[in-house]
Amino acid sequence: MAQLTLVQAVNEALREAMRRDERVMLLGEDIGANGGVFRATEGLMAEFGEDRVVDTPLAESGILGTAVGLAVNGMRPVPEIQFMGFIYPGFEQVVSHIARIRMRSRGRFAVPMVVRVPFGGRIRAPELHSESTETFFAHTPGLTVVAPSNPYDAKGLLLASIESNDPVIFLEPMRIYRAFREEVPEGYYTVPLREARVVQEGTDLTVIAWGTMLRETLDVVRKLEAEQGLSAEVIDLRTLSPWDEETVFASVNKTGRAVVVHEAVGHLGLGAEIAARISEACILQLEAPVVRISSFDVPPPPFSLEDWHAPTPERIASGIAEALSF
């Protein structure tokens, strides 16, 4: 198997999907000849032509609105938004049209499209390039929200998303686009949507994370295991909405303690919803309040403060200690 980075795995998934189904087409700013801002679509225009890999004007609302029209007329568009902070001009298309057409049409029309969006920060970019606003989309009925944490899942989850007959917001953690490589199978395969992955089993507490924070949290957990003999169960949520309650609840009922780590701000973040649901469903087994570790409740700061703003290894370790010591 090839050793691929996460962004190479995304490129492979798009190529496999376009070879398998001629209805799959891509559109976005600079995705054609330039291969996209992160080169996720590199080489695809040369292979599939300008009719299936479409360079668009700098107009996110137009990109997403065009994709809606293509989807309801039988195509399977995969629009790319360059950065999560750029999606706001197209947000109305997402919440008013993409998420609602199946309900509005009483099931007569579906919107089989995947909106690819790099998210998260700490790549030393200016304002509006470092957003983690997954809650906007997780809060919107009608959308499936996905966030892979590794190359294998990125390819399989993206192919499963393109197969879906309903819209998917596919969030790509740009900080780890090229941070590491792992074996990724050649050819077509899918990773099921809406299923979390137990990355490692443990008995002392459950740690839940996704995207970039999964890898960074796992580094902290393994350091604590080596130093303190900690036994932590780590869960990669993978699909953020609807998230896999069954896997999370089964783990927390076993360990009795839970920590949620995410890069978005804490106030009304997805961690708040997960903590609330665990508190409701696992109350008789919980031995400590659920701990949330997040970015601070301020906009993403200038890049000189990015590493302080996001959950640091020290804050993750402190949150785990808080859950264990209650």
Side-chain angles (χ1 to χ4, degrees):
M1 287 187 284
Q3 294 275 338
L4 300 182
T5 63
L6 195 150
V7 72
Q8 288 173 327
V10 168
N11 181 275
E12 277 293 297
L14 295 172
R15 178 174 284 103
E16 291 290 343
M18 296 181 78
R19 287 175 176 171
R20 187 183 181 96
D21 187 344
E22 64 180 13
R23 297 174 300 169
V24 177
M25 61 174 296
L26 316 181
L27 61 162
E29 298 160 6
D30 297 327
I31 67 162
N34 197 40
V37 65
F38 291 104
R39 304 297 182 265
T41 54
E42 192 166 42
L44 300 180
M45 176 180 274
E47 181 172 349
F48 299 101
E50 296 181 5
D51 289 340
R52 295 185 66 192
V53 182
V54 180
D55 273 325
T56 68
L58 301 174
E60 285 73 17
S61 181
I63 295 168
L64 297 175
T66 301
V68 173
L70 289 164
V72 299
N73 283 285
M75 301 297 288
R76 289 184 175 268
V78 185
E80 174 184 299
I81 301 299
Q82 287 189 338
F83 293 91
M84 200 163 189
F86 293 4
I87 202 171
Y88 303 140
F91 190 70
E92 195 270 341
Q93 293 286 356
V94 176
V95 298
S96 297
H97 303 293
I98 294 171
R100 294 180 183 229
I101 284 182
R102 182 180 286 281
M103 183 274 291
R104 276 178 168 173
S105 67
R106 304 297 185 263
R108 288 187 300 127
F109 294 101
V111 187
M113 61 184 287
V114 181
V115 183
R116 294 184 39 250
V117 192
F119 85 119
R122 291 175 290 160
I123 64 164
R124 308 299 184 250
E127 189 180 9
L128 293 174
H129 291 67
S130 304
E131 309 288 294
S132 293
T133 49
E134 57 264 37
T135 302
F136 288 165
F137 306 104
H139 187 68
T140 303
L143 300 176
T144 297
V145 184
V146 176
S149 68
N150 59 77
Y152 178 90
D153 281 355
K155 181 175 178 180
L157 287 168
L158 182 52
L159 286 169
S161 299
I162 294 171
E163 282 186 359
S164 172
N165 287 324
D166 286 305
V168 175
I169 307 296
F170 195 83
L171 303 177
E172 298 169 5
M174 58 186 175
R175 177 171 163 81
I176 56 172
Y177 260 152
R178 294 180 172 83
F180 62 99
R181 295 175 181 269
E182 71 174 19
E183 290 187 344
V184 176
E186 296 179 1
Y188 196 96
Y189 70 92
T190 60
V191 172
L193 302 179
R194 306 174 184 180
E195 291 186 13
R197 179 172 69 104
V198 178
V199 179
Q200 68 171 44
E201 296 188 354
T203 56
D204 294 335
L205 84 165
T206 299
V207 184
I208 304 146
W210 55 89
T212 299
M213 294 314 307
L214 185 282
R215 183 174 171 84
E216 298 183 7
T217 297
L218 201 55
D219 288 342
V220 173
V221 165
R222 288 174 176 166
K223 184 172 185 289
L224 294 176
E225 286 175 334
E227 294 175 350
Q228 304 174 15
L230 170 72
S231 174
E233 188 142 302
V234 178
I235 294 178
D236 180 358
L237 210 55
R238 299 200 294 195
T239 296
L240 310 188
S241 182
W243 57 281
D244 183 356
E245 292 186 340
E246 183 177 350
T247 295
V248 172
F249 293 168
S251 176
V252 176
N253 283 333
K254 180 177 72 174
T255 66
R257 303 173 193 272
V259 173
V260 188
V261 185
H262 61 66
E263 193 167 343
V265 299
H267 180 66
L268 294 178
L270 190 56
E273 171 65 16
I274 294 170
R277 291 290 298 128
I278 290 173
S279 298
E280 291 170 345
C282 308
I283 182 63
L284 297 180
Q285 281 70 42
L286 277 176
E287 298 181 29
V290 181
V291 174
R292 292 178 291 147
I293 304 165
S294 66
S295 290
F296 296 113
D297 291 338
V298 296
F303 56 71
S304 61
L305 298 174
E306 275 188 317
D307 293 337
W308 168 83
H309 179 249
T312 60
E314 292 76 18
R315 284 207 285 133
I316 296 171
S318 176
I320 289 173
E322 179 183 344
L324 290 172
S325 63
F326 182 83

